[in-house]
Amino acid sequence: MGELKYEISQNAYIKLVLHSLRHKTAAVNGVLVGRISPKDDGLVEISDSVPLFHSNLALLPPLEISLIMIEEHYVAQGLSIVGYFHANERFDDVELCGVAKNIGDHISRYFPQAPILLLNNKKLEAVTKGKDRSPVMQLCVKDASKNWRVVGADGGSKLLLKEPSANVVLSDYISSEKWKDVTDVDDHLDDVTKDWLNPGLFN
Amino acid sequence: MVTKREETQLKELENQVDNGGGGAWEYLCLVRKLKVRRSEKVLKHGSSILNDPGKRSALGPDEWTLYEQVAVAAMDCQCLDVAQNCIKVLQRKFPDSKRVGRLEALLLEANGLWGEAEEAYAILLEDNPLDQAIHKRRVAITKALGKPSLAIELLSKYLELFMADHAAWRELAEIYLSLQMYKQAAFCYEELILSQPTVPLYHLAYADVLYTIGGLENLISARKYYAATIDLTGGKNTRALLGICLCASAISQLSKGRNKEDRDATAAAPELHSLAAAAIEKEYKQKAPAKLQLISSALRSLKL
């Protein structure tokens, strides 16, 4: 896989982080939605995200139904599922677990450039102290032998925040406990009145 | 595990207390009774009672229970000085208490002093080898250290002694699932279904695991357990209804190319699929009409 740039929009980025903050004691995951940039096929635009689950991430039925519904919804906007987000249960766990890799593999069958974004809790902690402007997620891509690896700072591919002040906005939302308002597919499956699209979250 | 009615009751009380409508003590008692994790609220409202001498003495002997409850909640919220203070009060009132000893060990855990906590629990276990809470804390420590295989070992040993501890079986199942050890997780749910056959959650979880393992036999089984869940929940469980549709689709894909008799056997109850789909659409029409088109389309794609 050549060197790709992944540009994540503020809303997509913040939604996923808020989701992990809502369920601090669990592993959570989500999908990235977007497209290859029409102007630059080395750039993947991640324009939205959908938080998926906060329990039993390894079960297939809820995942299958989610992916069908999400693809169905976004295809009308010319967008598709372009990647996967995962936040581990423990604070200092920066490993990609089997579940994350499997889901990443599945998504990359339909979108070969799909990355996995892994939440970095130390960086997230630093954000609330107002220091870092870089994303609080680690970028993971598939290498030539189809194995997932974390991209280091010197790696070819990059994860960029589309809006440079995204972490400032994130920090504000954390202070105002905005994470209480995030709904995921798990919530929806328990109560269909809860909307996993989170309309009005950032109004 | 909490029923929907209990959850609603809890939320109502929570809103009432949050908005200054009183009922803090009732809320704290309910949280204790339901064994739910509401540490921030417990810390906030519990502390406000404990910091008010009038309210505190009105509790009588329950005062000490509240100190214990707030101590644990404080540790969960990383307010370790509050926890320390509560524990000091309890130490003064109940010197040499094993129950307070457990709290002291828990505080060591909260401080990340895993070795010391493990030692403290080992000492407590010498006098109380059958203290379930302590056994489970030892499992919790292994989880915190990121050693799931050790957690499984300890939890399995625990369950040999305390095989009626349903929460422990569920915890073990979840650890297995996080490691993608689906067959072992299935075994746990089998134990739970055997001991509590009328709890729909276990049938649903078992069905989900069977579907995940895959293969025709498991899919047919999964369908049965989704059906059992629907039966036990009066048709109200969306996950089970969706499970039926997913099974029907997967089964029909796997039985393509088999001879007619085989296919008939596996296609038993084709009405089940249509009924489930209809029930789902009805629910969305009533409660989430904006998503009706989406779910109908999704269900149609499962019929192919």
Side-chain angles (χ1 to χ4, degrees), chain B residues 127-140:
Chain B
D127 295 326
N128 311 277
L130 294 178
D131 186 322
Q132 295 182 289
I134 296 181
H135 283 288
K136 291 197 269 193
R137 281 325 303 168
R138 292 183 67 220
V139 177

Side-chain angles (χ1 to χ4, degrees), chain A residues 24-25 53 55-62 64-65 68-74 89-90 92 97-100 102 177 179-180 185-197 199, chain B residues 4 37 40-41 76 143-147 173-174 177-180 182 189 205 207-209 211-213 226 237-239 242-243 246 283-284 287-288 291 293-295 297-299 301-302:
Chain A
K24 288 193 184 93
T25 57
F53 308 113
S55 66
N56 294 331
L57 276 52
L59 292 174
L60 223 39
E64 285 185 7
I65 211 72
I68 294 174
M69 288 198 295
I70 295 170
E71 275 284 350
E72 192 70 43
H73 173 83
Y74 282 101
E89 188 178 23
R90 288 180 303 112
D92 47 9
C97 62
V99 175
N102 286 153
E177 298 190 342
W179 34 265
K180 289 184 179 164
V185 176
D186 239 344
D187 299 325
H188 176 81
L189 292 175
D190 289 335
D191 176 357
V192 302
T193 63
K194 304 240 165 83
D195 194 349
W196 44 264
L197 281 169
Chain B
K4 260 205 170 103
R37 194 173 184 174
E40 277 175 15
K41 302 277 179 197
D76 207 11
K143 277 191 83 179
L145 290 171
K147 296 183 177 164
E174 284 176 19
L177 283 178
S178 71
L179 296 173
Q180 297 188 284
Y182 296 109
Y189 289 122
D208 278 340
V209 175
Y211 182 97
T212 306
I213 299 174
Y226 284 127
N237 190 303
T238 315
R239 290 174 189 263
L242 287 166
L246 284 168
E283 187 186 3
Y284 272 80
K287 298 200 203 151
K291 291 247 177 334
Q293 202 185 0
L294 201 63
I295 198 70
S297 182
L299 290 172
S301 76
L302 284 176

Side-chain angles (χ1 to χ4, degrees), chain A residues 33-83:
Chain A
V33 174
R35 62 179 184 172
I36 298 191
S37 168
K39 290 176 265 180
D40 173 4
D41 61 5
L43 174 67
V44 175
E45 297 172 346
I46 302 166
S47 51
D48 204 352
S49 59
V50 179
L52 288 174
F53 308 113
H54 54 270
S55 66
N56 294 331
L57 276 52
L59 292 174
L60 223 39
L63 179 65
E64 285 185 7
I65 211 72
S66 314
L67 295 178
I68 294 174
M69 288 198 295
I70 295 170
E71 275 284 350
E72 192 70 43
H73 173 83
Y74 282 101
V75 76
Q77 301 169 33
L79 302 171
S80 68
I81 297 176
V82 298

Side-chain angles (χ1 to χ4, degrees), chain B residues 1 192-193 195-204 229 232-233:
Chain B
M1 262 189 340
L192 286 165
I193 292 174
S195 64
Q196 291 186 298
T198 59
V199 173
L201 182 68
Y202 304 144
H203 294 265
L204 180 64
T229 310
L232 289 166
T233 56

Side-chain angles (χ1 to χ4, degrees), chain B residues 90 183 235:
Chain B
L90 289 167
K183 293 207 168 73

Side-chain angles (χ1 to χ4, degrees), chain B residues 12 39 66 77 126 128 145 151 154 172 174 187 248-249 251 259:
Chain B
E12 277 171 11
S39 301
L66 185 57
C77 298
E126 273 170 19
N128 311 277
L145 290 171
L154 288 178
L172 184 56
E174 284 176 19
F187 173 73
S249 171
I251 288 172
N259 62 40

